[in-house]
């Protein structure tokens, strides 16, 4: 079964053709980094407009480069949330139009479900159940993946998402947008023990996260040094901040894996590209004889191949949309709307 997938939930216009959920026939991503960099972050209005500008050529390229036609496709899939509402609506409207014109079924895909599915592409042997750490620009959760379309959230952030935190700290340090990846890059030459940060505490579940204290502490440290006229070492600060944050995340994830009895651990989402997080988890999982799955870097951040992968499993569970399907800024991964 060949599925055309469309993803426009944030700042990447992406389309892909995926066969049977696991084989990527094409994967096209039009990035908007240039347009958003002068503002230091994603501007939703610009993002929606860029999706409108790019979507036709991106989808056409995804179909043409694997020499497909609509006759050789079996379904159209699209991210319908969570994400920026204006951005989601562009992809959804376009996908609905294609589905109506071609008569192909329309498969709605939850954005975080698709991040998890990025791992199915990279690891043909990977099947649920497993425990997954989903860390992105908008989400930070520990999730039991009971089956391809059955999820249970056991921990989530009480305030900011980790990606958002990395982006903010990078911006205050004067690093260019996109912050997270540049913070990671510059941290490679820094001393991770130079600065220390308080370990966050949460009053909710022991599996929940909190990043706002870490973020505030980092920003205060940078501003205090600036006010004193001291020059902060950006590589050292970046290394220390990445190290403290990913250490905290890893500890929580490993604790949850142990408590819920999982030895198959998966990570997903943009922040799963972070070198400190990958290194720490790799080391700890090796010690504990856990099997760790990390998506390839280009499948960590937003792309449409992961949407096409998840769509296959949604289709098998008969999750087909009507034309009244709407976009949603927030949807629970376990209970779809
Ligand atoms: O999954 P994603 O592409 O979009 C959302 O669904 O939010 O994640 C984007 C987030 C951004 O906050 C970005 O800074 C972060 O992932 N990110 C990273 C790295 N690469 C991307 N954060 C830390 N280290 C990285 N290498
Ligand atoms: Zn994402």
């Amino acid at each position: 079964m060949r599925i055309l997938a469309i993803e426009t939930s944030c700042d990447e216009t992406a389309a892909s053709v995926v066969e049977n959920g696991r084989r990527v026939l094409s994967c096209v991503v039009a990035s908007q980094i240039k347009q958003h960099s002068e503002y230091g972050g994603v501007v939703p209005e610009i993002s929606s407009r860029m999706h409108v500008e790019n979507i036709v050529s991106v989808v056409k390229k995804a179909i043409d480069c694997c020499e497909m036609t609509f006759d050789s496709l079996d379904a159209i899939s699209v991210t319908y949330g969570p994400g920026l509402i204006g951005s989601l609506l562009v992809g959804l409207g376009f996908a609905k139009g294609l589905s109506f014109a071609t008569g192909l079924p329309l498969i709605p895909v939850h954005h975080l479900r698709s991040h998890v599915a990025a791992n199915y592409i990279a690891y043909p042997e990977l099947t649920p159940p497993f425990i997954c750490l989903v860390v992105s620009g908008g989400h930070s959760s520990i999730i039991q993946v009971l089956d391809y379309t059955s999820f249970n959230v056991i921990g989530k952030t009480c305030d900011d998402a980790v990606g958002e935190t990395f982006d903010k700290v990078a911006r205050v340090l004067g690093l260019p947008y996109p912050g997270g990846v540049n913070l990671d890059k510059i941290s490679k030459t820094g001393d991770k023990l130079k600065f220390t940060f308080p370990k966050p505490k949460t009053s909710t579940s022991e599996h929940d996260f909190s990043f706002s204290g870490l973020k505030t502490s980092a920003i205060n440290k940078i501003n205090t040094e600036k006010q004193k006229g001291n020059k902060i070492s950006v590589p050292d600060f970046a290394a220390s901040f990445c190290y403290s944050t990913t250490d905290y995340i890893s500890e929580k994830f490993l604790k949850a894996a142990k408590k819920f009895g999982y030895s198959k651990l998966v990570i997903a989402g943009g922040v799963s590209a972070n070198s400190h997080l990958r290194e720490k988890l790799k080391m700890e999982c090796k010690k504990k004889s856990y099997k760790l799955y990390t998506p390839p870097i280009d499948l960590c951040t937003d792309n449409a191949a992961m949407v096409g992968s998840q769509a296959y499993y949604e289709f098998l569970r008969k999750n087909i949309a009507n034309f009244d399907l709407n976009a949603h800024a927030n949807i629970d991964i376990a209970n779809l709307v």
Side-chain angles (χ1 to χ4, degrees):
M1 176 177 193
R2 292 181 190 130
I3 301 177
L4 169 69
I6 296 172
E7 151 66 40
T8 62
S9 68
C10 190
D11 58 344
E12 324 272 6
T13 316
S16 176
V17 177
V18 181
E19 193 171 66
N20 297 333
R22 301 270 179 166
R23 192 165 160 245
V24 179
L25 303 182
S26 68
C27 183
V28 180
V29 181
S31 164
Q32 302 177 1
I33 289 179
K34 203 169 134 241
Q35 284 75 18
H36 297 290
S37 12
E38 69 178 280
Y39 303 95
V42 177
V43 182
E45 173 74 23
I46 294 178
S47 179
S48 314
R49 269 194 265 151
M50 291 307 300
H51 287 313
V52 172
E53 259 180 49
N54 291 334
I55 194 144
V56 174
S57 62
V58 167
V59 171
K60 189 171 183 317
K61 199 166 164 194
I63 295 173
D64 288 350
C65 72
C66 57
E67 295 174 356
M68 292 282 143
T69 61
F70 282 106
D71 288 338
S72 45
L73 293 169
D74 301 290
I76 314 273
S77 64
V78 65
T79 310
Y80 74 113
L84 299 173
I85 198 75
S87 298
L88 289 163
L89 282 168
V90 178
L92 179 60
F94 195 78
K96 277 190 199 176
L98 284 182
S99 168
F100 183 75
T102 57
L104 294 171
L106 180 66
I107 308 171
V109 176
H110 185 286
H111 186 58
L112 297 186
R113 288 189 180 193
S114 70
H115 270 303
V116 176
N119 287 280
Y120 300 141
I121 296 167
Y123 304 102
E125 75 283 10
L126 177 65
T127 53
F130 53 80
I131 191 165
C132 187
L133 172 73
V134 182
V135 273
S136 69
H139 298 85
S140 314
S141 309
I142 299 174
I143 298 169
Q144 283 177 288
V145 181
L146 306 166
D147 194 4
Y148 291 101
T149 56
S150 174
F151 302 81
N152 182 41
V153 178
I154 53 184
K156 58 185 183 323
T157 180
C158 302
D159 38 56
D160 303 331
V162 60
E164 195 184 342
T165 306
F166 277 143
D167 293 341
K168 186 72 207 279
V169 170
R171 188 150 67 164
V172 179
L173 276 176
L175 295 172
Y177 166 85
V181 66
N182 286 314
L183 197 72
D184 192 11
K185 250 187 220 161
I186 203 157
S187 76
K188 305 240 161 95
T189 57
D191 175 359
K192 65 182 184 188
L193 301 175
K194 198 82 184 187
F195 296 89
T196 53
F197 300 92
K199 196 152 260 180
K201 288 200 172 61
T202 48
S203 54
T204 54
S205 156
E206 60 172 327
H207 304 298
D208 283 348
F209 296 105
S210 166
F211 295 103
S212 70
L214 261 173
K215 184 177 79 180
T216 310
S217 153
I219 295 171
N220 286 347
K221 264 193 214 311
I222 301 167
N223 289 338
T224 307
E225 291 307 313
K226 267 189 202 159
Q227 277 161 7
K228 284 189 198 159
N230 295 340
K231 202 171 173 299
I232 214 159
S233 158
V234 177
D236 287 349
F237 198 90
S240 304
F241 189 72
C242 285
Y243 172 69
S244 299
T245 310
T246 56
D247 210 50
Y248 164 66
I249 299 171
S250 307
E251 222 173 77
K252 289 243 173 198
F253 185 37
L254 292 163
K255 203 167 170 186
K258 187 172 177 205
K259 183 163 174 193
F260 288 85
Y262 286 94
S263 56
K264 204 194 285 185
L265 281 69
V266 175
I267 60 173
V271 180
S272 66
N274 186 269
S275 60
H276 297 262
L277 181 67
R278 292 166 86 98
E279 213 173 280
K280 168 84 181 166
L281 284 174
K282 206 168 141 191
M283 198 175 72
E284 292 298 327
C285 287
K286 196 173 170 202
K287 271 194 228 162
K288 294 175 168 47
S289 299
Y290 288 169
K291 179 87 184 105
L292 175 71
Y293 294 88
T294 57
I297 301 294
D298 58 336
L299 289 180
C300 289
T301 44
D302 292 347
N303 64 85
M306 65 187 194
V307 179
S309 173
Q310 181 60 24
Y312 175 69
Y313 298 102
E314 299 289 346
F315 182 83
L316 294 183
R317 302 296 187 278
K318 306 199 170 12
N319 184 6
I320 314 284
N322 297 318
F323 289 123
D324 60 2
L325 175 71
N326 210 344
H328 296 271
N330 296 301
I331 322 173
D332 186 339
I333 190 170
N335 303 298
L336 299 182
V337 286

